[in-house]
Amino acid sequence: MARRKIVAGNWKMNMTPSEAVKLCADLKELVKSDEVDVVYCVPAIDIVPVVEAVKGTNVEVGAENMYFEEKGAYTGEISASMLKDAGVKYVIIGHSERRDYFKEDDVLLNRKVKKAIEAGLTPILCCGETLEQREMGVTMDWIRLQIKSDLDGVTADQVKSMVIAYEPIWAIGTGKTATTEQAEEVCRGIRQCIAEVYDDATAEAVRIQYGGSVNAGNAAELFAQPDIDGGLVGGASLKAEFGKIVNYNK
């Protein structure tokens, strides 16, 4: 069975609640699709108004981060159960900006993945290499380490329903995009890694996105690759262009 494409927008630290509601209204007709799962991953303060704004549409809501504890003295953090209760379905875990700016390591991210799954959320687990790592020829070594560490103790059935996003760090917000061949090569390598750790059925089921300056001009070619099941989209998700990415095959 062919994997269903999934296109998720990562809004990052953009959009006030009122701006978010307006954007949802502006994009509503543009992102309609019966063939692609559409997700808006939004800042925490926007979750409640965006969940309300997309009711009755084909859009699901995701969070950009979460903490692994259920509750307690963790000032400023948000738990998986809070997200679930607010109507969130997906959560981005391990984005390179979280790894870099906020020093999140694989031990922490593994705990987040497990907690998200336990709460009934679908993790969008990010992985990717720096330009220096690519030039050193260690891209797949690095990404395999991330995947194996972040999924330690996660079952095959749980992985089957997850999303993995390959984002070459050197292509995020830079305007640079990995070539179609580079993106497919790494996504295929991720799938092979999942097959080695779990089995072929799990590898065939898990959806793998490409992220890194995805736009209306390159989405169709990227998404046509056998191991690329959609995109995690940054800046373009805040524009009408996002509708063209969702409907890449129209």
Side-chain angles (χ1 to χ4, degrees):
M1 184 179 295
R3 293 178 297 272
R4 184 176 170 88
K5 292 287 192 285
I6 176 168
V7 176
N10 177 15
W11 290 11
K12 306 192 179 186
M13 197 174 74
N14 295 293
M15 296 285 140
T16 65
S18 58
E19 289 170 341
V21 170
K22 182 179 185 304
L23 180 62
C24 290
D26 292 344
L27 293 178
K28 181 178 179 180
E29 295 301 316
L30 302 177
V31 299
K32 282 186 175 179
S33 175
D34 296 326
E35 302 171 16
V36 176
D37 289 340
V38 182
V39 185
Y40 296 160
C41 296
V42 308
I45 199 168
D46 294 340
I47 287 171
V48 171
V50 168
V51 166
E52 187 65 29
V54 301
K55 278 184 179 176
T57 75
N58 59 304
V59 176
E60 299 284 359
V61 178
E64 297 179 14
N65 186 35
M66 51 156 273
Y67 197 52
F68 60 80
E69 293 288 0
E70 185 66 28
K71 61 178 68 174
Y74 306 103
T75 301
E77 294 295 334
I78 296 176
S79 72
S81 59
M82 290 174 181
L83 296 177
K84 181 73 174 176
D85 191 66
V88 167
K89 183 172 180 180
Y90 294 86
V91 58
I92 297 173
I93 295 176
H95 192 279
S96 63
E97 290 158 4
R98 298 298 312 177
R99 294 177 188 261
D100 184 16
Y101 304 155
F102 303 100
K103 308 308 176 189
E104 295 190 356
D105 62 22
D106 290 312
V107 174
L108 173 70
L109 298 175
N110 177 245
R111 296 183 74 174
K112 287 189 176 188
V113 168
K114 290 175 178 174
K115 193 63 177 183
I117 293 170
E118 179 188 317
L121 299 173
T122 299
I124 300 176
L125 175 64
C126 298
C127 59
E129 84 283 17
T130 64
L131 182 58
E132 182 181 25
Q133 288 166 332
R134 172 162 283 275
E135 290 175 343
M136 289 172 59
V138 298
T139 292
M140 280 316 306
D141 294 329
W142 178 252
I143 289 173
R144 285 168 63 88
L145 178 61
Q146 289 181 320
I147 295 293
K148 290 182 177 183
S149 301
D150 297 342
L151 296 182
D152 183 47
V154 180
T155 70
D157 283 343
Q158 290 169 337
V159 172
K160 286 176 183 176
S161 62
M162 284 180 58
V163 179
I164 297 175
Y166 165 54
E167 292 201 311
I169 297 170
W170 48 271
I172 299 173
T174 62
K176 296 180 181 179
T177 310
T179 66
T180 302
E181 292 75 21
Q182 287 172 325
E184 166 61 15
E185 179 183 25
V186 177
C187 290
R188 182 173 63 249
I190 293 170
R191 203 174 301 284
Q192 290 169 348
C193 179
I194 296 294
E196 291 169 16
V197 175
Y198 296 96
D199 50 50
D200 289 342
T202 304
E204 284 302 309
V206 68
R207 292 190 288 182
I208 302 174
Q209 296 175 313
Y210 169 74
S213 300
V214 176
N215 57 55
N218 60 30
E221 184 176 347
L222 286 164
F223 299 171
Q225 302 309 302
D227 291 293
I228 300 178
D229 304 314
L232 183 58
V233 184
S237 68
L238 301 172
K239 309 171 187 174
E241 179 181 7
F242 191 60
K244 296 180 179 178
I245 297 172
V246 169
N247 292 289
Y248 68 96
N249 56 350
K250 299 292 174 63

